[in-house]
Amino acid sequence: MASENVSKTVSLKDYIIDMQSAAVKGSAQYEVVLENNTDFIIKRRTATTDRELVILVSKGLYYIKDCKTGHIEELKEQSLNTFLRELKDGMVALHEVHWLSNLYRESVGLIMQVITDETLTDMCRHNVLVNTFDPTWYTRYWKQNSKLFIRLYNMFPSMADRKKYQASIPVIFWIEEQYGANEAMFFAEKLVQS
């Protein structure tokens, strides 16, 4: 009986391929079409589809457009999940969007939170929504005094700095509540000087 462990001859030539033509079927390519302070449009291309995710916070418009047919689909959490599903471990860098610096597959929750919460949307429109894990932490202060919040945002190098500035925000708004906006700003100015 012949040996069943007969080794097959393997050649290095069998493994040399053209990487460009060997792209994974169904893989999507994402690219930034437009971005500014609050808005962005991302194009997603596959071998068969060409779609755009349109997030226009400044105009209150959120949808996915099929570029081949012109069909517009209102943005829902499920459709956003579907649009971003092939990002997997990747990301799309957004250099100009204040409230979202990188678009990940896991960004669905934050995007849906921002476009469905009127306070967060308003903060985006004023370019003061802080790029942070939990933006709702700031909504209480925005509702208390949005003008003071805007001034603090412009004054602090980074409001999301947990070690210095974020911890002082409750104190500043407590001072504003007890003694007025001028005293709160005085305290904030001294904090920045320190």
Side-chain angles (χ1 to χ4, degrees), residues 123 126-130 141-142 145-159 165 169 172-173 176 180-192:
M123 291 172 74
H126 286 87
N127 294 321
V128 294
L129 183 60
V130 179
Y141 306 111
W142 178 260
N145 188 334
S146 60
K147 290 179 182 177
L148 175 60
F149 193 94
I150 291 169
R151 290 177 68 191
L152 291 174
Y153 181 84
N154 292 324
M155 180 186 302
F156 290 163
S158 173
M159 281 185 93
Y165 297 108
I169 292 171
I172 293 169
F173 279 88
E176 189 269 338
N182 289 339
E183 294 299 319
M185 280 307 297
F186 179 77
F187 175 80
E189 288 166 358
K190 294 300 179 189
L191 179 67
V192 170

Side-chain angles (χ1 to χ4, degrees), residues 4-97:
E4 297 201 17
N5 292 333
V6 176
S7 63
K8 183 180 173 185
T9 307
V10 178
S11 172
L12 183 61
K13 291 180 183 179
D14 296 337
Y15 292 93
I16 298 175
I17 61 171
D18 177 17
M19 291 301 288
Q20 307 300 5
S21 64
V24 179
K25 287 186 178 182
S27 67
Q29 295 178 345
Y30 294 86
E31 73 176 275
V32 177
V33 174
L34 175 134
E35 64 178 314
N36 64 24
N37 300 332
T38 59
D39 309 326
F40 62 91
I41 300 173
I42 305 294
K43 184 178 284 275
R44 177 184 184 265
R45 284 191 179 119
T46 65
T48 57
T49 64
D50 190 3
R51 304 176 82 201
E52 291 179 336
L53 169 65
V54 179
I55 305 288
L56 302 178
V57 177
S58 63
K59 302 292 181 193
L61 294 171
Y62 317 106
Y63 59 88
I64 295 176
K65 177 182 178 183
D66 187 323
C67 297
K68 291 183 179 182
T69 65
H71 180 268
I72 303 292
E73 175 186 354
E74 182 183 348
L75 189 64
K76 303 248 189 249
E77 189 168 351
Q78 179 59 38
S79 60
L80 185 56
N81 270 318
T82 301
F83 187 90
L84 297 176
R85 75 174 172 244
E86 292 191 40
L87 267 177
K88 295 182 177 125
D89 295 328
M91 66 148 196
V92 176
L94 298 170
H95 303 288
E96 297 177 26
V97 180

